[in-house]
Structures are given as C-alpha cells and as structure tokens.
Amino acid sequence: GVKIKTFLNQSLVGGGRRLPGWHAFCNGKGPGRHQAGARPTPKETLMNTATTRLEHDLLGDKEVPTAAYYGVHTLRALENFPITGITIAVYPDLIRALAQIKRAAAQANCELGLLDQERMKAIVAACDELVVGRLHEQFVVDVIQGGAGTSTNMNANEVIANRALEIMGHQRGEYGFLHPNEHVNMSQSTNDVYPTALKLATYVGIFRLVDAMAYLRAAFERKAEEFADVLKMGRTQLQDAVPMTLGQEFSTYATMLGEDEERLKEAALLIREINLGATAIGTGINAHPDYAGLVCRRLAEITGIPVVTAPNLIEATQDCGSFIQLSGVLKRVAAKLSKVCNDLRLLSSGPRAGFGEINLPPRQAGSSIMPGKVNPVIPEVVNQIAFEVIGNDMTVTFAAEAGQLQLNAFEPIIAHSLFKSVLHLTKGCVVLADRCVDGITANRDALRASVERSIGIVTALNPYIGYAHATDVAAEAHASGRGVAEIVLERGLMTAEALAEVLRPEVLTRPRALPARKVA
C-alpha cells in the first residue's frame, strides 16, 4: 500500500484501507455529481471592476469587497471575531462537508418542488468546486466565534451563492436572482447544518487517524519481531522485576494501538447520526415533511458516509454527547501514546548514565552548549501532542456541558478542539513511526548482561528452591554484588544443569509447567 506518510504533503490523504465513500467525500465524485463550474470568464471579471459592492442585512448597509465571494454576514463576523487569526479554511474537511450538505439540500428541495432546476444546478456546481478545493480562501471567519456557528454557515451560504450567481451569468451580490438564505440555506438552519458538517468532517478524520495508528502499530510489530530473541529485565515501579524479551515489550505497544483503533471505530458509529431537517430547534419548522429523510439519503449518496437521521431531532439538536464520547476516546489514545513515548525516552536514556537499552535514531543536535548531546525529540513532540489532546478534551467537556435548553452555542470551540486533536494525533503517529520507531536498535549485549547480574531472576527459582531460600539468595546477592546463579550453586540449592535449564530465555519469558511443591 501507499505509505501513509505521504498525506503530510497531500492534505492528510493517507494510505492503506479506506472507508466506503471516503474518496467521494474528499473529491466530490459521489453519484449524480455535476461538473464543477469553470473559473470566472474574462466577461465575469470585467463585471466586477468596482472595489466594493453594497450589501444589506439586519443591521443595515455595508460595503463588501467586490472581489470577495463572501458577503455582509461574513464581513461582520470577520470584524467581530479577531480571536486566533486562524480561519476555518484551515479545516478543508469542514468546508467540504458544508458544501456536501448544501448540495444535498439543493437537490432535495428541487426534488420536492421547492427549488427550480436552474438555481439547483448552479448551487450544485458551486458546491462541487468547493469540494475539490476551490475558493477555500474565501472562508475567512475565525475558528473561535460566537453565534453557535452561524457565521460559518453564512460564510458557506454566501460563497456558494455568489459563485452560483457567476455560473448563472450574474454578478456577485445580485441576490435577487439567487439568495444565500432564501435558496442556498433553504429548509436549513445553522443549528442542523453546522453540527452535521462537524460530524461529517470528524468522521473522515477518525478514519484517517485509524489509518495512521495502524501504520504506527505495524512499525511496532516489525520491531517486536526483530527483537523477539533479545532478553532483558522487566521492571515494575522502576525496580527490577522478572525477565522478558524486548520483542514482548514492543508487541505490547502494538496491541495498545490496535485496541484503540477499535474504540475509534465505535465512536464513529455515533458520529453518523445527524439532525438535518431539524432546522431551528428540532421541530422542523420551514422544512417539508419529507425533507429530513430525503436530504439524509442524498447526503449519504454524495459522501459515501452511512449517515442516519436522529430519531428525535429536538434531542439531537441540543445534545453533544457524541462529541464528548469521541473526545474521550481521543484522550485515551493520547494518554497511551504518551505512555509509550515516556517508555521510549526512558529506555533510550544515557548514553552512559541512563538505561541505555535501546537507541533512538538521532534526528538533530540536542544542545546549543553541550557538544555531542542528542535528545529524544520525536517522542517529546508526541508527548506534547498528547498534552494538547488531553486539554482539548477538557474544553469539549465544558463546552458540551454549557449548552442550554434547545441548543448548544459552543460547538465552534468543540469543532476546533476535535479537529486539532484528530489532525495532530494523525500526524504524530506517522512521525513517530517514520522518524523514530523504524530506526530503533537494541543494545543486545548490555541487555543480556543486565539480566545475568539482576537479582530479579531469583523469582524464577521460587518453584525450585522455595520462597525462603530465594529471599536469602536475593539478599546476599544484593549485599555482596555477586550473581544469583553463583550463590545458588555455592549453596547446593540446584545443580548446574537444572539451573541452566530454568534460566533459558524461552523458559524465563513465558508460562511453563512447574514442579510439584513438597508438603512440609
């Protein structure tokens, strides 16, 4: 398969297994797709020679840049929310999702006789352009915004409307022919469009993350196989425990990742439930009785995502439980990844005064003052991603809890937090696999020597010499610095042949039949 790391330079396209319809969602090639409109013609360009156009909204008239595809609602939001300096254009999956929803709505409304063919086709063509990446720079609203996502929804409505007007042969802003609210937003509200768009975008992101985790898991599995014969001491509470193989240690990391791949897939099942057709609060006001079911079917066809209409649209409009669930799983992934990175940093500590059991591939000079120092920078960056994700989970929790009555006004910060968590974890997994795990080597001789001089191997002798004798041997070994095997043989507790058999790596590192205990 294609190496998933290529998505780092291709908007996180990823490699390996793909969910059904993933390419349809990202490339706008779902069933019944219309060809996207061409770029503006010279005639269209000449039609827009003035520097501004006058638009009107609830608060009055306002000059909008003629070159802008967004309109007055978006411009007010641009002025009102100078918060992060990061616009929603940073999340192309969200823009694609909004376009897919508007496309499905236009087709459903046309099928119900509420929208004429000409406007429907223009809206669909404009949406198709957004899906393939055009005009994303026109999505200028800050990622953190008041209004429960209304500014994001209106940004989409206005961009789609103005591009559709051009496709119909009109100028941007000539809303008498096709209006952002009347036509692009027909049968919709921000309160059903925005959470649905968030779910579509997150659903795609979940499976990208699953791919990235599988990629990292495979890297650990390869190392587990490579290190299958490398004997080392296990540790509990940073104290010597009993022997194991380095392969067993690395296979554990692979298993941890595999478990959470399944948890993410489970979370995705909840994300499929949408509330399109709910309109303002879930009662479906201003929507045709057949609209909810029809637009859901259209959306599933367009995206390839098996979305389903929530059984209670009033509940679905105010409840953010699926986002809390997903955020919790992302926190689980982050915490376990961070634990793995802690282990890698500890096992590679040194090179002379630390554990020194493994070597991480050197990636950059580690100090501006200490020559020759190399730091575990890749595990460190993944640790920091984990810290961020854990903080994002707290943000999602507070934002979901803060919803009141029939709507949660804080979904923009939920969206921003979830998108960051999914995106950064995805990139972190790939970077950890490619820039760290693949290049790890084992200090085999040092690991073997640590087992031979360890007091912990006395645990393996309990069934043969008894706990009391084993305790005495351990105490003497610790006090004298001598080896356990030497003391056992000196005391005549076991023969050399029997001791050698018990201390074989394949015996020390897995369950085995034990001798019958003698009754005193």
Side-chain angles (χ1 to χ4, degrees):
V2 179
K3 290 195 78 176
I4 192 173
K5 69 177 180 179
T6 58
F7 76 72
L8 290 172
N9 297 318
Q10 298 176 3
S11 301
L12 292 181
V13 169
R17 180 209 36 78
R18 286 282 169 259
L19 69 156
W22 187 90
H23 289 294
F25 178 88
C26 289
N27 298 319
K29 296 180 180 178
R33 178 179 182 270
H34 291 264
Q35 285 292 323
R39 291 184 178 276
T41 64
K43 178 182 177 181
E44 291 170 340
T45 302
L46 290 172
M47 291 168 67
N48 294 295
T49 55
T51 58
T52 63
R53 64 178 185 265
L54 189 66
E55 291 198 14
H56 181 83
D57 69 353
L58 172 69
L59 302 184
D61 294 337
K62 195 167 184 64
E63 297 288 339
V64 177
T66 302
Y69 282 87
Y70 58 79
V72 61
H73 294 274
T74 303
L75 185 58
R76 292 199 191 277
L78 185 59
E79 295 171 348
N80 288 336
F81 310 124
I83 308 302
T84 67
I86 302 170
T87 69
I88 57 175
V90 76
Y91 299 126
D93 285 340
L94 178 62
I95 298 174
R96 293 187 188 106
L98 288 163
Q100 299 282 13
I101 291 166
K102 300 299 178 180
R103 186 183 195 275
Q107 291 176 321
N109 284 319
C110 183
E111 189 170 336
L112 293 169
L114 303 173
L115 185 66
D116 62 89
Q117 283 279 338
E118 183 185 12
R119 289 191 177 98
M120 182 272 289
K121 290 180 179 179
I123 291 171
V124 165
C127 290
D128 286 344
E129 292 186 15
L130 294 181
V131 168
V132 297
R134 283 206 59 207
L135 301 180
H136 284 206
E137 76 282 356
Q138 297 294 316
F139 287 77
V140 296
V141 180
D142 199 280
V143 290
I144 299 180
Q145 58 192 256
T150 297
S151 297
T152 295
N153 185 39
M154 284 305 304
N155 199 159
N157 288 335
E158 290 174 338
V159 171
I160 292 167
N162 281 307
R163 181 60 192 129
L165 283 168
E166 287 183 335
I167 291 168
M168 294 171 67
H170 304 293
Q171 295 188 55
R172 298 170 210 167
E174 291 187 335
Y175 297 139
F177 298 99
L178 189 149
H179 196 278
N181 296 80
E182 297 288 350
H183 302 114
V184 180
N185 200 61
M186 180 181 288
S187 304
Q188 304 153 63
S189 164
T190 294
N191 302 344
D192 59 358
V193 167
Y194 189 80
T196 298
L198 171 51
K199 288 182 175 183
L200 292 177
T202 303
Y203 188 91
V204 172
I206 288 172
F207 283 92
R208 284 206 195 100
L209 176 53
V210 168
D211 280 347
M213 291 171 65
Y215 184 70
L216 177 58
R217 172 169 51 82
F220 278 118
E221 288 171 345
R222 289 191 296 272
K223 286 298 168 181
E225 183 176 355
E226 179 183 343
F227 299 147
D229 62 337
V230 181
L231 195 64
K232 61 162 287 179
M233 286 303 299
R235 295 178 179 86
T236 57
Q237 296 157 284
L238 293 181
Q239 306 301 305
D240 294 359
V242 296
M244 66 185 303
T245 68
L246 190 59
Q248 288 174 322
E249 195 160 36
F250 274 70
S251 70
T252 300
Y253 303 147
T255 299
M256 290 166 65
L257 286 161
E259 288 178 348
D260 283 356
E261 290 169 41
E262 296 306 311
R263 302 295 80 75
L264 281 169
K265 293 173 186 176
E266 292 167 0
L269 293 176
L270 294 178
I271 294 295
R272 296 185 305 119
E273 186 178 278
I274 62 172
N275 70 328
L276 276 187
T279 65
I281 65 170
T283 60
I285 190 172
N286 291 351
H288 189 282
D290 297 329
Y291 171 78
L294 181 56
V295 75
C296 184
R297 290 195 297 275
R298 284 289 189 179
L299 191 59
E301 292 169 1
I302 292 167
T303 64
I305 296 173
V307 291
V308 295
T309 300
N312 187 315
L313 292 178
I314 296 176
E315 178 274 334
T317 303
Q318 61 187 274
D319 179 31
C320 291
S322 61
F323 298 138
I324 299 173
Q325 175 82 3
L326 173 59
S327 184
V329 175
L330 294 173
K331 180 176 71 172
R332 169 179 165 144
V333 172
K336 292 166 74 170
L337 268 180
S338 190
K339 188 272 180 193
V340 170
C341 288
N342 292 342
D343 285 0
L344 296 179
R345 290 190 295 114
L346 191 59
L347 293 173
S348 65
S349 59
R352 300 290 176 83
F355 279 30
E357 295 190 355
I358 62 174
N359 306 299
L360 306 186
R363 292 303 176 192
Q364 61 187 61
S367 174
S368 61
I369 188 173
M370 293 176 280
K373 190 170 187 290
V374 178
N375 295 328
V377 293
I378 302 302
E380 286 172 353
V381 77
V382 176
N383 280 131
Q384 291 175 78
I385 291 170
F387 306 155
E388 178 194 36
V389 172
I390 293 167
N392 289 342
D393 178 64
M394 184 63 72
T395 299
V396 170
T397 301
F398 274 117
E401 180 274 335
Q404 296 154 330
L405 303 177
Q406 280 70 59
L407 181 66
N408 187 299
F410 308 110
E411 286 182 352
I413 195 62
I414 292 176
H416 185 42
S417 300
L418 288 176
F419 292 157
K420 285 192 301 178
S421 292
V422 171
L423 178 63
H424 295 172
L425 282 172
T426 302
K427 289 186 174 183
C429 285
V430 176
V431 168
L432 184 60
D434 287 341
R435 305 294 294 171
C436 182
V437 178
D438 277 347
I440 291 175
T441 58
N443 292 323
R444 292 171 177 261
D445 293 341
L447 286 166
R448 179 74 194 193
S450 71
V451 173
E452 291 174 351
R453 68 174 180 267
S454 172
I455 297 171
I457 62 172
V458 76
T459 302
L461 306 182
N462 281 351
Y464 303 91
I465 65 176
Y467 188 88
H469 284 306
T471 300
D472 289 342
V473 169
E476 182 177 342
H478 181 66
S480 65
R482 298 167 64 198
V484 167
E486 179 185 353
I487 297 171
V488 168
L489 292 174
E490 181 182 276
R491 294 187 178 190
L493 297 172
M494 295 181 70
T495 66
E497 293 77 10
L499 183 61
E501 173 64 21
V502 172
L503 296 183
R504 286 190 300 124
E506 57 269 31
V507 175
L508 286 173
T509 59
R510 58 177 61 96
R512 68 186 187 278
L514 299 175
R517 299 293 181 94
K518 294 181 180 180
V519 179

mmCIF file of all heavy atoms in Angstrom, residues 35-38 44 118 121-127 129 134 160-170:
data_model
loop_
_atom_site.group_PDB
_atom_site.id
_atom_site.type_symbol
_atom_site.label_atom_id
_atom_site.label_comp_id
_atom_site.label_asym_id
_atom_site.label_seq_id
_atom_site.Cartn_x
_atom_site.Cartn_y
_atom_site.Cartn_z
ATOM 1 N N GLN A 35 -20.627 18.448 -13.115
ATOM 2 C CA GLN A 35 -19.317 19.025 -13.322
ATOM 3 C C GLN A 35 -19.248 20.382 -12.634
ATOM 4 O O GLN A 35 -20.158 21.189 -12.710
ATOM 5 C CB GLN A 35 -19.059 19.210 -14.828
ATOM 6 C CG GLN A 35 -18.745 17.909 -15.548
ATOM 7 C CD GLN A 35 -17.404 17.356 -15.095
ATOM 8 O OE1 GLN A 35 -16.475 18.096 -14.841
ATOM 9 N NE2 GLN A 35 -17.328 16.040 -14.991
ATOM 10 N N ALA A 36 -18.133 20.636 -11.948
ATOM 11 C CA ALA A 36 -17.963 21.938 -11.309
ATOM 12 C C ALA A 36 -17.849 23.015 -12.377
ATOM 13 O O ALA A 36 -17.337 22.785 -13.476
ATOM 14 C CB ALA A 36 -16.715 21.935 -10.435
ATOM 15 N N GLY A 37 -18.319 24.215 -12.049
ATOM 16 C CA GLY A 37 -18.228 25.324 -12.986
ATOM 17 C C GLY A 37 -16.793 25.723 -13.236
ATOM 18 O O GLY A 37 -15.913 25.513 -12.405
ATOM 19 N N ALA A 38 -16.527 26.304 -14.386
ATOM 20 C CA ALA A 38 -15.175 26.728 -14.723
ATOM 21 C C ALA A 38 -14.815 27.973 -13.924
ATOM 22 O O ALA A 38 -15.658 28.592 -13.279
ATOM 23 C CB ALA A 38 -15.092 27.025 -16.215
ATOM 24 N N GLU A 44 -16.902 37.789 -16.843
ATOM 25 C CA GLU A 44 -17.285 37.849 -15.429
ATOM 26 C C GLU A 44 -16.333 38.742 -14.655
ATOM 27 O O GLU A 44 -16.738 39.488 -13.757
ATOM 28 C CB GLU A 44 -17.290 36.439 -14.824
ATOM 29 C CG GLU A 44 -18.403 35.556 -15.353
ATOM 30 C CD GLU A 44 -18.230 34.106 -14.932
ATOM 31 O OE1 GLU A 44 -17.102 33.716 -14.564
ATOM 32 O OE2 GLU A 44 -19.224 33.369 -14.975
ATOM 33 N N GLU A 118 -32.742 25.502 -12.485
ATOM 34 C CA GLU A 118 -31.616 26.384 -12.796
ATOM 35 C C GLU A 118 -30.825 26.735 -11.539
ATOM 36 O O GLU A 118 -29.600 26.636 -11.513
ATOM 37 C CB GLU A 118 -32.103 27.663 -13.485
ATOM 38 C CG GLU A 118 -30.943 28.582 -13.881
ATOM 39 C CD GLU A 118 -31.396 29.901 -14.464
ATOM 40 O OE1 GLU A 118 -32.607 30.223 -14.361
ATOM 41 O OE2 GLU A 118 -30.554 30.618 -15.032
ATOM 42 N N LYS A 121 -29.016 23.589 -10.102
ATOM 43 C CA LYS A 121 -27.800 23.206 -10.829
ATOM 44 C C LYS A 121 -26.658 24.164 -10.551
ATOM 45 O O LYS A 121 -25.490 23.749 -10.445
ATOM 46 C CB LYS A 121 -28.096 23.135 -12.322
ATOM 47 C CG LYS A 121 -28.984 21.964 -12.714
ATOM 48 C CD LYS A 121 -29.255 21.944 -14.224
ATOM 49 C CE LYS A 121 -30.122 20.753 -14.595
ATOM 50 N NZ LYS A 121 -30.432 20.733 -16.068
ATOM 51 N N ALA A 122 -26.954 25.456 -10.424
ATOM 52 C CA ALA A 122 -25.901 26.429 -10.134
ATOM 53 C C ALA A 122 -25.330 26.202 -8.737
ATOM 54 O O ALA A 122 -24.110 26.278 -8.522
ATOM 55 C CB ALA A 122 -26.446 27.847 -10.269
ATOM 56 N N ILE A 123 -26.202 25.944 -7.770
ATOM 57 C CA ILE A 123 -25.747 25.668 -6.400
ATOM 58 C C ILE A 123 -24.895 24.405 -6.369
ATOM 59 O O ILE A 123 -23.828 24.365 -5.740
ATOM 60 C CB ILE A 123 -26.949 25.558 -5.448
ATOM 61 C CG1 ILE A 123 -27.626 26.917 -5.272
ATOM 62 C CG2 ILE A 123 -26.516 25.004 -4.092
ATOM 63 C CD1 ILE A 123 -28.949 26.869 -4.521
ATOM 64 N N VAL A 124 -25.366 23.369 -7.040
ATOM 65 C CA VAL A 124 -24.621 22.105 -7.072
ATOM 66 C C VAL A 124 -23.246 22.313 -7.695
ATOM 67 O O VAL A 124 -22.231 21.810 -7.180
ATOM 68 C CB VAL A 124 -25.428 21.046 -7.845
ATOM 69 C CG1 VAL A 124 -24.536 19.853 -8.205
ATOM 70 C CG2 VAL A 124 -26.625 20.584 -7.023
ATOM 71 N N ALA A 125 -23.178 23.059 -8.806
ATOM 72 C CA ALA A 125 -21.893 23.301 -9.462
ATOM 73 C C ALA A 125 -20.945 24.065 -8.539
ATOM 74 O O ALA A 125 -19.746 23.762 -8.460
ATOM 75 C CB ALA A 125 -22.103 24.057 -10.768
ATOM 76 N N ALA A 126 -21.479 25.081 -7.842
ATOM 77 C CA ALA A 126 -20.645 25.848 -6.915
ATOM 78 C C ALA A 126 -20.149 24.965 -5.774
ATOM 79 O O ALA A 126 -18.982 25.040 -5.369
ATOM 80 C CB ALA A 126 -21.437 27.035 -6.370
ATOM 81 N N CYS A 127 -21.020 24.119 -5.258
ATOM 82 C CA CYS A 127 -20.630 23.209 -4.175
ATOM 83 C C CYS A 127 -19.547 22.243 -4.626
ATOM 84 O O CYS A 127 -18.604 21.940 -3.876
ATOM 85 C CB CYS A 127 -21.843 22.440 -3.667
ATOM 86 S SG CYS A 127 -23.032 23.443 -2.751
ATOM 87 N N GLU A 129 -17.275 22.754 -6.758
ATOM 88 C CA GLU A 129 -15.993 23.459 -6.781
ATOM 89 C C GLU A 129 -15.376 23.518 -5.388
ATOM 90 O O GLU A 129 -14.158 23.338 -5.226
ATOM 91 C CB GLU A 129 -16.180 24.865 -7.345
ATOM 92 C CG GLU A 129 -16.535 24.884 -8.813
ATOM 93 C CD GLU A 129 -16.568 26.286 -9.404
ATOM 94 O OE1 GLU A 129 -16.057 27.229 -8.765
ATOM 95 O OE2 GLU A 129 -17.107 26.419 -10.507
ATOM 96 N N ARG A 134 -11.619 24.522 -4.464
ATOM 97 C CA ARG A 134 -11.668 25.904 -4.920
ATOM 98 C C ARG A 134 -12.313 26.809 -3.877
ATOM 99 O O ARG A 134 -13.177 26.387 -3.117
ATOM 100 C CB ARG A 134 -12.462 26.008 -6.228
ATOM 101 C CG ARG A 134 -11.696 25.550 -7.475
ATOM 102 C CD ARG A 134 -12.251 26.247 -8.709
ATOM 103 N NE ARG A 134 -12.146 27.693 -8.600
ATOM 104 C CZ ARG A 134 -12.959 28.555 -9.211
ATOM 105 N NH1 ARG A 134 -13.962 28.112 -9.959
ATOM 106 N NH2 ARG A 134 -12.792 29.851 -9.054
ATOM 107 N N ILE A 160 -21.153 30.159 -1.707
ATOM 108 C CA ILE A 160 -21.856 29.310 -2.673
ATOM 109 C C ILE A 160 -22.809 30.143 -3.521
ATOM 110 O O ILE A 160 -22.887 29.978 -4.753
ATOM 111 C CB ILE A 160 -22.600 28.177 -1.949
ATOM 112 C CG1 ILE A 160 -21.593 27.202 -1.330
ATOM 113 C CG2 ILE A 160 -23.548 27.438 -2.896
ATOM 114 C CD1 ILE A 160 -22.203 26.232 -0.346
ATOM 115 N N ALA A 161 -23.543 31.061 -2.882
ATOM 116 C CA ALA A 161 -24.491 31.890 -3.626
ATOM 117 C C ALA A 161 -23.785 32.755 -4.663
ATOM 118 O O ALA A 161 -24.217 32.842 -5.828
ATOM 119 C CB ALA A 161 -25.277 32.773 -2.657
ATOM 120 N N ASN A 162 -22.696 33.399 -4.288
ATOM 121 C CA ASN A 162 -22.015 34.297 -5.222
ATOM 122 C C ASN A 162 -21.329 33.539 -6.351
ATOM 123 O O ASN A 162 -21.302 34.009 -7.494
ATOM 124 C CB ASN A 162 -21.019 35.184 -4.468
ATOM 125 C CG ASN A 162 -21.714 36.340 -3.767
ATOM 126 O OD1 ASN A 162 -22.464 37.089 -4.382
ATOM 127 N ND2 ASN A 162 -21.486 36.479 -2.470
ATOM 128 N N ARG A 163 -20.797 32.373 -6.065
ATOM 129 C CA ARG A 163 -20.224 31.586 -7.161
ATOM 130 C C ARG A 163 -21.336 31.045 -8.063
ATOM 131 O O ARG A 163 -21.192 31.020 -9.300
ATOM 132 C CB ARG A 163 -19.388 30.422 -6.602
ATOM 133 C CG ARG A 163 -18.742 29.588 -7.681
ATOM 134 C CD ARG A 163 -17.786 30.401 -8.561
ATOM 135 N NE ARG A 163 -17.393 29.645 -9.762
ATOM 136 C CZ ARG A 163 -17.464 30.106 -10.988
ATOM 137 N NH1 ARG A 163 -17.929 31.331 -11.229
ATOM 138 N NH2 ARG A 163 -17.072 29.364 -12.008
ATOM 139 N N ALA A 164 -22.452 30.645 -7.472
ATOM 140 C CA ALA A 164 -23.586 30.178 -8.272
ATOM 141 C C ALA A 164 -24.135 31.307 -9.151
ATOM 142 O O ALA A 164 -24.523 31.073 -10.310
ATOM 143 C CB ALA A 164 -24.677 29.631 -7.364
ATOM 144 N N LEU A 165 -24.162 32.530 -8.634
ATOM 145 C CA LEU A 165 -24.600 33.676 -9.436
ATOM 146 C C LEU A 165 -23.704 33.841 -10.658
ATOM 147 O O LEU A 165 -24.198 34.098 -11.769
ATOM 148 C CB LEU A 165 -24.588 34.947 -8.585
ATOM 149 C CG LEU A 165 -25.758 35.101 -7.607
ATOM 150 C CD1 LEU A 165 -25.495 36.232 -6.614
ATOM 151 C CD2 LEU A 165 -27.063 35.352 -8.358
ATOM 152 N N GLU A 166 -22.387 33.724 -10.464
ATOM 153 C CA GLU A 166 -21.480 33.830 -11.609
ATOM 154 C C GLU A 166 -21.766 32.739 -12.640
ATOM 155 O O GLU A 166 -21.748 32.991 -13.852
ATOM 156 C CB GLU A 166 -20.033 33.713 -11.140
ATOM 157 C CG GLU A 166 -19.513 34.929 -10.406
ATOM 158 C CD GLU A 166 -18.053 34.793 -10.030
ATOM 159 O OE1 GLU A 166 -17.565 33.658 -9.901
ATOM 160 O OE2 GLU A 166 -17.392 35.840 -9.877
ATOM 161 N N ILE A 167 -21.995 31.530 -12.145
ATOM 162 C CA ILE A 167 -22.285 30.414 -13.053
ATOM 163 C C ILE A 167 -23.556 30.689 -13.851
ATOM 164 O O ILE A 167 -23.666 30.322 -15.028
ATOM 165 C CB ILE A 167 -22.398 29.109 -12.248
ATOM 166 C CG1 ILE A 167 -21.014 28.722 -11.687
ATOM 167 C CG2 ILE A 167 -22.972 27.975 -13.090
ATOM 168 C CD1 ILE A 167 -21.051 27.617 -10.646
ATOM 169 N N MET A 168 -24.511 31.386 -13.219
ATOM 170 C CA MET A 168 -25.761 31.740 -13.904
ATOM 171 C C MET A 168 -25.620 32.964 -14.791
ATOM 172 O O MET A 168 -26.567 33.331 -15.504
ATOM 173 C CB MET A 168 -26.856 31.980 -12.855
ATOM 174 C CG MET A 168 -27.249 30.751 -12.061
ATOM 175 S SD MET A 168 -28.350 31.154 -10.657
ATOM 176 C CE MET A 168 -29.823 31.695 -11.519
ATOM 177 N N GLY A 169 -24.458 33.629 -14.737
ATOM 178 C CA GLY A 169 -24.243 34.792 -15.586
ATOM 179 C C GLY A 169 -24.499 36.114 -14.907
ATOM 180 O O GLY A 169 -24.581 37.149 -15.586
ATOM 181 N N HIS A 170 -24.596 36.127 -13.610
ATOM 182 C CA HIS A 170 -24.854 37.361 -12.864
ATOM 183 C C HIS A 170 -23.613 37.779 -12.087
ATOM 184 O O HIS A 170 -22.607 37.055 -12.028
ATOM 185 C CB HIS A 170 -26.022 37.161 -11.901
ATOM 186 C CG HIS A 170 -27.284 36.697 -12.569
ATOM 187 N ND1 HIS A 170 -27.993 37.491 -13.442
ATOM 188 C CD2 HIS A 170 -27.941 35.506 -12.505
ATOM 189 C CE1 HIS A 170 -29.049 36.819 -13.896
ATOM 190 N NE2 HIS A 170 -29.040 35.612 -13.336
#
